[in-house]
């Protein structure tokens, strides 16, 4: 009873416990903020690992997979599989407007099935936006503005309305302004044309304005809208044995641009129609010469005759099939099942072995490195936070000194050693609770507002801590995981109690007579 | 004569200061009978406060060198828990420097002894009774209007009255007062002693009086007691223990 009363009074009428609570608060906030941002970083990384991959990936990089339609049919017939989609993956070079050349990873896809596996449609950036971002009070984002009435007909004709641009992105096509017919088009990542699209601190992109006060899409140089915004794609087809054939090149318009939020994808990847890339990579269905022709003697006439080269019709190939799991199916279970299906398919169709990996296995090296980095950072910060234990210990030691007489008084009133120890330990726990709660609140406010804080630091002091080119993601993770929060807060309380433990024992074992005489 | 309620039997007490043993009490014996007011008189350093600490169970005599006996039980044989209970319920302390808890107000200081004695649940069960008793004691001390004040807002005399009220909250068998007027001017000291006498007799003619052991260096103050025990250099002066105050 007296412990509760004295704890309350010591806490509200003295500055030193507030200092202890502040130490716990700052340590808790530091650890929780670090853990939340780094943990959020890992989570975004894990989530992004699935971007454009699905759950399981079958990859046959050398010969590729013929009859992949049969494989997909087998996969989709299995209850553990939701959808499967064929993909051709390769590397190429893009020549962009403005004499910009950059190496790029190219994906050839079938949009509908690819979207079903990866959620591709959701990543398309250029689309009508109904409400401005809260960071865009001036409504400068072009997506907010439909064509002006005088431009409406032109926009309809050229399919340069936001809904049509979205639709064309979904179908990887664009209207040719001369023939007004659809032609295949590519969808590069939004950062691929980084010299055209300038990312704003609020997270949206501004293309280059063509007039002083742009009002609709015709006043902006966006990749999907501008007639001269064409990109040359060059890829290098390989034979089965890995030898290069001649370079294939195609000039293409841009249908839309995708934005995943992962800088690696957004800056290094472009998407084209599957059939187009198969054609460029010589992976399309075609009659191929597999032997040499020559001259032979006709056994019936005894005369020479010309023998044409032998040809076969080879079916189209892909080097990748992506698979998504049916609801409730664990990714590892799916991987095992896909492996079984592929093995059966490979035997039946004389296909070479292929790697079958979950998205986690594909990114294992990188994810593992990030996990270790986070663990290291947490250990370091936790170690630093142990200073809070010693800070509480020293403050409590000093307070026990200051309150030595009170301890003697309480002992003379009959208080037991355990009662005195509990008084100080309880005091430490209360300070830990108060400090941790305040630290948790402080950390929550910081983490939730970390992007505006970062933007403010950038604008006020020109300090850019989170460079997306370094950290992969365009926004700093700003979620506080409740479990993480509970662990850190409990750690704060425990640290405070640990700091109070030694002074508590010292108080408990104080000689009451000496305590009463303490000056 | 009734059996003594509290007695020191041939106690020795030595303190160790650094490497030097400093003997404080030598073979000191005294008895306190129920209802008595005993004054322990002595000069500074004579060991009177040490004797009072031994009587109050705050300290122990040197091992195997005497004993302090309360109602027939040797305090040295009590467990730590029993000794805590002894201090909480059998004796009440009043110190020269008041020793109030500065963060608590007057009433809370008085009730703090009861909080310690009864614990959380025991105190909660008796809260209204204890509060009434505390307020009654403070009223008897003339501090009814000071219940919510903190010690720092009181005069020395007022603080000592609060300390006396606190010492009596658990209705102890023996009140142990160590120089209760030592820090006060004579007028205030006299008023304090008057208040003690008044509280001692508050039960009326037929009721048992409060047993008091009071340490003092003042013969004037000691005259208020029924009996005098004089300490000289840690020894009870021959004949003083038995003699009445003269």
């Amino acid at each position: 009873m007296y412990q509760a009363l004295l704890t309350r009074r010591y806490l509200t009428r003295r500055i030193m416990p507030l200092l202890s609570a502040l130490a716990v608060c700052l340590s808790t906030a530091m650890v929780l903020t670090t853990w939340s941002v780094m943990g959020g970083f890992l989570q975004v990384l894990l989530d992004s690992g699935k971007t454009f991959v699905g759950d399981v990936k079958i990859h046959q990089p050398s010969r590729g997979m013929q009859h992949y339609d049969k494989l997909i049919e087998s996969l989709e017939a299995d209850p553990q599989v939701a959808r499967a989609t064929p993909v051709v993956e390769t590397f190429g070079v893009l020549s962009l407007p403005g004499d910009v050349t950059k190496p790029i990873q190219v994906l050839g896809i079938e949009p509908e099935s690819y979207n079903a596996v990866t959620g591709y449609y959701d990543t398309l950036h250029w689309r009508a936006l109904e409400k401005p971002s809260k960071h865009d009070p001036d409504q400068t984002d072009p997506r907010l503005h439909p064509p002006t009435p005088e431009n409406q007909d032109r926009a309809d004709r050229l399919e340069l309305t936001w809904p049509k641009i979205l639709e064309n992105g979904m179908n990887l096509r664009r209207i040719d302004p001369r023939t007004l017919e659809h032609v295949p088009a590519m969808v590069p990542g939004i950062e691929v044309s980084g010299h055209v699209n300038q990312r704003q601190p609020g997270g949206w992109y501004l293309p280059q304005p063509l007039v002083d006060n742009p009002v609709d899409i015709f006043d902006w140089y966006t990749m999907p809208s501008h007639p001269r915004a064409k990109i040359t794609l060059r890829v290098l087809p390989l034979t089965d044995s890995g030898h290069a054939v001649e370079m294939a090149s195609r000039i293409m318009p841009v249908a839309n641009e995708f934005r995943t939020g992962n800088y690696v994808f957004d800056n290094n990847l472009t998407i084209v129609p599957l059939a187009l890339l198969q054609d460029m990579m010589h992976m399309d269905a075609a009659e191929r010469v597999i032997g040499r022709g020559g001259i032979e003697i006709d056994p019936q006439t005894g005369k020479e005759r010309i023998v044409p080269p032998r040809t076969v019709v080879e079916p189209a190939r892909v080097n990748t099939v992506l698979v998504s799991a049916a609801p409730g199916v664990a990714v590892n279970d799916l991987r095992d099942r896909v492996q079984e299906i592929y093995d059966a398919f490979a035997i039946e169709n004389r296909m070479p072995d292929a790697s079958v990996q979950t998205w986690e296995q594909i990114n294992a090296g990188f994810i593992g490195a990030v996990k270790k980095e986070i663990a290291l950072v947490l250990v370091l910060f936790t170690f630093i936070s142990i200073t809070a234990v010693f800070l509480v210990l020293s403050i409590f030691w000093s307070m026990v000194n200051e309150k030595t007489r009170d301890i003697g008084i309480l002992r003379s009133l009959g208080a037991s050693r355990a009662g005195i120890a509990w008084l100080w330990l309880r005091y430490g726990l209360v300070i830990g609770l108060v400090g941790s709660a305040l630290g948790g609140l402080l950390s929550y406010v910081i983490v939730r507002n970390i992007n505006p804080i970062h933007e403010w630091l950038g604008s006020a002091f020109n300090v850019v801590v989170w460079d997306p080119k370094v950290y992969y993601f365009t926004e700093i993770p700003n979620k506080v995981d409740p479990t993480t929060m509970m662990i850190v807060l409990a750690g704060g309380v425990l640290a405070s109690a640990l700091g109070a433990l030694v002074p508590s024992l010292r108080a408990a074992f104080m000689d009451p007579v000496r305590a009463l005489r303490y000056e | 004569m009734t059996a003594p309620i509290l007695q020191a039997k041939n106690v020795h007490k030595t303190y160790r200061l650094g490497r030097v043993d400093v003997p404080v009490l030598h073979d000191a014996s005294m008895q306190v009978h129920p209802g008595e007011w005993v004054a322990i008189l002595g000069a500074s350093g004579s060991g009177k406060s040490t004797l009072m600490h031994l009587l109050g169970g705050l300290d122990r005599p040197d091992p195997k060198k005497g004993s302090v006996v309360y109602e027939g039980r040797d305090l040295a044989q009590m467990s730590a828990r029993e000794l805590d209970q002894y201090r909480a319920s059998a004796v009440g302390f009043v110190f020269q420097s008041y020793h109030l808890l500065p963060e608590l107000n007057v009433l809370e200081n008085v009730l703090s002894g009861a909080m310690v004695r009864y614990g959380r649940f025991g105190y909660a069960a008796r809260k209204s009774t204890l509060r009434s008793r505390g307020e009654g004691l403070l009223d008897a001390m003339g501090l009814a209007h000071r219940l919510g004040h903190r010690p720092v807002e009181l005069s020395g005399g007022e603080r000592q009255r609060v300390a006396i009220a606190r010492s009596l909250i658990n209705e102890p068998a023996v009140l142990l007062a160590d120089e209760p007027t030592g820090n006060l001017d004579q007028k205030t000291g006299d008023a304090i002693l008057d208040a003690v006498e008044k509280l001692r007799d508050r039960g009326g003619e037929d009721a048992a009086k409060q047993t008091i052991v009071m340490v003092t260096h003042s013969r004037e103050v000691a005259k208020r007691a029924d009996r005098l025990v004089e300490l000289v250099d840690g020894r009870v002066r021959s004949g003083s223990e038995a003699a009445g105050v003269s």
Side-chain angles (χ1 to χ4, degrees), chain B residues 168-212:
Chain B
L168 295 172
I169 188 69
N170 290 331
E171 298 178 318
V174 182
L175 175 67
L176 300 170
D178 186 0
E179 299 271 18
T181 59
N183 279 3
L184 305 172
D185 59 64
Q186 188 175 347
K187 186 180 171 189
T188 309
D190 287 344
I192 290 291
L193 294 172
D194 291 344
V196 169
E197 278 191 43
K198 186 178 161 192
L199 280 171
R200 186 186 178 216
D201 298 332
R202 72 184 187 281
E205 286 286 322
D206 299 332
K209 289 184 175 180
Q210 174 70 51
T211 307
I212 299 173

Side-chain angles (χ1 to χ4, degrees), chain A residues 124-268:
Chain A
L124 292 168
H125 179 72
W126 299 112
R127 61 176 71 203
L129 208 61
E130 290 177 4
K131 291 180 183 173
S133 155
K134 61 181 179 183
H135 302 299
D136 184 20
D138 298 333
Q139 303 195 8
T140 53
D141 191 330
R143 296 175 297 172
L144 291 163
H145 306 291
T148 54
E150 55 268 30
N151 279 335
Q152 187 65 55
D153 287 347
R154 187 177 159 209
D156 288 341
R157 193 175 70 255
L158 297 174
E159 295 188 347
L160 289 177
T161 59
W162 294 120
K164 273 293 178 188
I165 289 174
L166 174 63
E167 187 185 325
N168 285 338
M170 291 160 69
N171 292 303
L172 294 168
R173 67 184 187 191
R174 241 204 77 177
I175 281 279
D176 184 324
R178 288 170 301 178
T179 63
L180 296 182
E181 289 182 356
H182 283 123
V183 292
M186 73 164 62
V187 173
I190 192 87
E191 297 278 353
V192 170
S193 55
H195 61 300
V196 175
N197 300 316
Q198 297 296 321
R199 183 175 182 273
Q200 303 303 298
W204 74 95
Y205 286 82
L206 278 186
Q208 290 174 3
L210 297 170
V211 295
D212 286 342
N213 296 304
V215 291
D216 70 9
I217 193 167
F218 294 104
D219 296 337
W220 294 100
Y221 184 162
T222 73
M223 293 298 285
S225 67
H226 201 273
R228 286 197 298 276
K230 288 190 175 175
I231 294 176
T232 302
L233 169 66
R234 292 185 181 86
V235 293
L236 192 62
L238 301 175
T239 64
D240 291 355
S241 55
H243 292 102
V245 192
E246 79 279 13
M247 177 85 76
S249 174
R250 193 72 62 96
I251 299 171
M252 301 172 74
V254 174
N256 204 318
E257 290 171 290
F258 70 78
R259 182 188 174 210
T260 64
N262 182 326
Y263 187 79
V264 172
F265 288 111
D266 292 350
N267 188 48
N268 298 305

Side-chain angles (χ1 to χ4, degrees), chain A residues 307-465:
Chain A
V307 179
R310 201 155 62 87
T311 61
V312 293
V313 176
E314 282 190 351
R317 289 174 293 141
V318 295
N319 54 23
T320 302
V321 172
L322 304 178
V323 186
S324 63
V329 176
V331 174
N332 287 328
D333 294 343
L334 177 69
R335 194 213 77 84
D336 294 344
R337 183 63 191 133
V338 168
Q339 181 75 64
E340 288 171 9
I341 293 170
Y342 181 80
D343 290 345
F345 165 79
I347 291 167
E348 188 182 331
N349 295 281
R350 295 182 181 178
M351 288 287 110
D353 287 344
S355 73
V356 179
Q357 291 180 302
T358 66
W359 60 272
E360 285 177 316
Q361 289 172 318
I362 293 166
N363 298 298
F366 187 64
I367 290 171
V370 172
K371 278 184 176 173
K372 282 178 185 166
E373 187 184 336
I374 290 170
L376 181 66
V377 169
L378 277 176
V379 166
L380 288 174
F381 273 79
T382 305
F383 191 71
I384 292 168
S385 296
I386 290 174
T387 55
V389 175
F390 288 96
L391 201 58
V392 171
L393 190 150
S394 59
I395 290 174
F396 265 65
W397 191 274
S398 166
M399 285 171 62
V400 165
N401 263 350
E402 191 193 342
K403 288 290 169 193
T404 295
R405 237 191 228 190
D406 286 14
I407 293 163
I409 295 166
L410 290 167
R411 294 282 284 144
S412 76
L413 293 174
S416 63
R417 291 189 196 283
I420 296 292
W422 175 233
L423 165 66
W424 292 95
L425 201 57
R426 176 197 173 96
Y427 194 19
L429 281 169
V430 171
I431 282 173
L433 277 171
V434 172
S436 291
L438 290 175
L441 187 67
L442 177 66
S443 175
Y444 183 81
V445 171
I446 290 173
V447 173
R448 293 296 295 170
N449 295 289
I450 197 158
N451 285 294
I453 291 170
H454 183 249
E455 284 159 22
W456 177 79
L457 283 173
S459 60
F461 303 107
N462 204 24
V463 176
V464 180
V465 182

Side-chain angles (χ1 to χ4, degrees), chain A residues 478-498:
Chain A
N478 66 343
K479 298 279 190 300
V480 179
D481 174 45
T483 308
T484 304
M485 183 179 245
M486 294 313 294
I487 292 170
V488 174
L489 297 194
V493 176
L494 189 65
S496 182
L498 275 176

